[in-house]
């Protein structure tokens, strides 16, 4: 029998936590004991794993005794406070928040792009999961970058409300119902109405006029791709429940034709080319929702520069953009590094 691993899931009751549970089940991860951890408010709830009941426990600094891998999805403050405790107890932390992403001693990993970086988990016992919008972009760009080094990226994102969590999903649903019934919509989660609207702000604004979300894409792309790629981003929240979309423009060192780009992408891990514009076929959030592939379409040359290419990239932000990526990292950990 193959070895079984003890797993702690921090933030088990949240949207990403729920999806991590589903991913572990779907992918038949070799789980021995599983522990669900959450705030005191959620402690005592009963959830399931593979059809068996699991009691949600309150997260404390003593929660990680005997745990091999701790999957964190409870926000940056919790990760900063509790990841070191988990690591001291002997667990490897895979953190979904932004807390550790830019720490030079913590690897920032997308398995299809830089799986070798996982080896550096020994520095602090922590591996960071990138931002959801960064993950799907670099999955699509990696094969193109390997063929013709990318010099510059201009990306605009159209991000689903599930990226903010369960309360944002509820807010879009309730607002939509209220407006369709002629009643005013109340705003609690976002600064403006999200139903039938687009918000060109994700996270707070920085002094340079960009939002934190936009700067995450700039900094994380360089770290993951291990290249000084000039990147500029505009991130927008749209009234979609699941699935982030991105318009990505790249400038490369040498020309990539549409045919070559399609060939490279069709053979790339984690990518599906969805591009038949003559028949109205291109990636959409409704197609990406519920699956782990990154969909790429609308592939066309940028006629305004010599070596430019445009792509439309779509993925499920809760799955590949968060939960699945973390579980994929855990799979590589147990296959290559943990004994």
């Amino acid at each position: 029998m193959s070895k079984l691993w003890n797993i702690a899931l921090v933030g088990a009751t949240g949207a990403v936590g729920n999806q991590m549970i589903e991913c572990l089940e779907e992918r038949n991860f070799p789980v021995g004991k599983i522990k669900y951890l959450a705030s005191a408010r959620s402690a005592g709830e009963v959830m399931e794993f593979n059809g068996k009941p699991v009691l949600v426990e309150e997260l404390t600094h003593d929660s990680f005794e005997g745990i091999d891998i701790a999957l964190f999805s409870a926000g940056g403050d919790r990760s900063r406070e509790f990841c070191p405790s988990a690591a001291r107890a002997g667990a490897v932390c895979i953190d979904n928040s932004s807390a550790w992403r830019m720490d030079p001693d913590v690897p920032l990993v997308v398995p299809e792009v830089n799986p070798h970086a996982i080896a550096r988990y020994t520095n602090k016992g922590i591996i960071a999961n990138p931002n959801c919008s960064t993950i799907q972009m670099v999955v699509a760009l990696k094969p193109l970058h390997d063929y013709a080094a990318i010099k510059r990226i201009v990306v605009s994102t159209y991000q689903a409300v599930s990226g903010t969590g369960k309360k944002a999903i509820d807010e879009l649903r309730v607002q939509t119902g209220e407006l369709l019934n002629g009643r005013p919509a109340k705003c609690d989660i976002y600064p403006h109405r999200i139903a039938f609207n687009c918000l060109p702000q994700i996270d707070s604004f920085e002094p340079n006029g960009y939002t934190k979300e936009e700067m995450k894409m700039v900094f994380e792309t360089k770290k993951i791709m291990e290249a000084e790629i000039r990147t500029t981003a505009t991130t927008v929240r749209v009234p979609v429940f699941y699935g982030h979309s991105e318009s990505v423009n790249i400038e490369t060192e040498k020309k990539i034709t549409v045919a070559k780009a399609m060939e490279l992408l069709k053979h790339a891990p984690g990518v599906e080319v969805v591009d038949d514009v003559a028949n109205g076929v291109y990636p959409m959030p409704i197609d990406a929702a519920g699956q782990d592939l990154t969909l790429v379409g609308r592939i066309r040359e940028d006629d305004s520069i010599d070596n430019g290419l445009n792509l439309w990239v779509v993925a499920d932000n809760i799955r590949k953009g968060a939960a699945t990526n973390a579980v994929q990292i855990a799979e590589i950990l147990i296959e290559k590094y943990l004994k």
Side-chain angles (χ1 to χ4, degrees):
M1 177 182 285
S2 61
K3 182 173 179 178
L4 300 179
W5 304 87
N6 296 333
I7 306 296
L9 185 47
V10 181
T13 58
V16 174
N18 281 192
Q19 189 61 68
M20 283 182 175
I21 294 167
E22 189 174 322
C23 287
L24 289 167
E25 292 173 336
E26 288 176 355
R27 299 172 75 91
N28 295 314
F29 194 92
V31 176
K33 180 178 73 173
I34 193 159
K35 182 181 281 193
Y36 292 168
L37 301 170
S39 66
R41 185 179 63 253
S42 298
E45 291 184 23
V46 177
M47 300 173 65
E48 290 189 351
F49 184 74
N50 283 330
K52 296 180 180 178
V54 179
L55 184 69
V56 178
E57 301 175 36
E58 181 180 356
L59 172 64
T60 72
H61 290 283
D62 299 319
S63 295
F64 302 97
E65 190 66 36
I67 295 298
D68 299 305
I69 298 172
L71 300 170
F72 275 75
S73 186
D77 290 342
R78 291 292 180 91
S79 294
R80 275 184 287 270
E81 181 179 356
F82 290 98
C83 279
S85 297
R88 281 193 295 270
V92 180
C93 302
I94 302 174
D95 180 42
N96 197 58
S97 80
S98 61
W100 302 98
R101 289 175 187 160
M102 299 315 298
D103 186 315
D105 291 326
V106 173
L108 182 65
V109 177
V110 178
E112 295 89 344
V113 180
N114 63 334
H116 57 275
I118 292 173
R120 296 175 54 240
Y121 82 91
T122 54
N123 290 342
K124 287 189 174 180
I126 302 169
I127 302 168
N129 219 29
N131 188 41
C132 48
S133 50
T134 306
I135 289 174
Q136 67 186 69
M137 183 176 75
V138 297
V139 167
L141 294 186
K142 171 63 173 174
L144 304 177
H145 180 67
D146 286 348
Y147 176 78
I150 296 172
K151 297 164 57 179
R152 184 170 186 256
I153 302 168
V154 180
V155 56
S156 297
T157 72
Y158 309 85
Q159 297 182 216
V161 297
S162 53
T164 311
K166 283 183 174 180
K167 291 181 179 179
I169 295 170
D170 291 339
E171 180 153 295
L172 174 57
R173 176 180 53 79
V174 171
Q175 284 184 356
T176 301
E178 295 289 83
L179 292 167
L180 288 174
N181 284 282
R183 295 188 291 266
K186 183 182 178 184
C187 301
D188 291 320
I189 304 303
Y190 296 119
H192 304 282
R193 194 185 86 202
I194 185 61
F196 307 104
N197 197 19
C198 296
L199 307 181
Q201 175 188 356
I202 300 179
D203 212 322
S204 59
F205 284 99
E206 300 279 50
N208 64 358
Y210 288 82
T211 63
K212 286 185 177 179
E213 182 82 358
E214 290 159 353
M215 296 313 298
K216 286 175 189 175
M217 296 193 75
V218 172
F219 298 134
E220 291 178 21
T221 298
K222 289 180 181 180
K223 184 171 180 178
I224 298 164
M225 301 284 276
E226 299 174 353
E228 286 297 317
I229 301 172
R230 292 174 292 165
T231 302
T232 187
T234 301
T235 58
V236 182
R237 189 72 69 190
V238 296
V240 168
F241 287 108
Y242 296 96
H244 288 355
S245 303
E246 299 176 344
S247 172
V248 184
N249 174 275
I250 61 172
E251 182 182 1
T252 53
E253 294 283 0
K254 66 178 182 180
K255 188 178 187 65
I256 306 178
T257 65
V258 170
K260 186 62 179 179
M262 285 194 174
E263 176 192 337
L264 292 167
L265 289 164
K266 283 178 180 177
H267 292 92
V271 173
E272 180 180 354
V273 174
V274 182
D275 196 322
D276 182 8
V277 294
N279 292 300
V281 176
Y282 33 71
M284 295 181 291
I286 56 173
D287 301 320
Q291 67 161 302
D292 295 325
L293 292 173
T294 296
L295 311 182
V296 184
R298 296 294 318 279
I299 304 167
R300 60 207 187 278
E301 291 183 26
D302 177 358
D303 294 334
S304 70
I305 54 176
D306 290 336
N307 301 324
L309 204 65
N310 288 299
L311 313 165
W312 179 250
V313 181
V314 181
D316 186 320
N317 55 295
I318 299 296
R319 290 186 66 98
K320 182 53 189 170
T324 304
N325 199 77
V327 174
Q328 287 175 306
I329 291 170
E331 289 172 341
I332 296 171
L333 256 181
I334 63 171
E335 178 186 352
K336 293 190 174 183
Y337 299 105
L338 299 186
K339 302 299 181 184

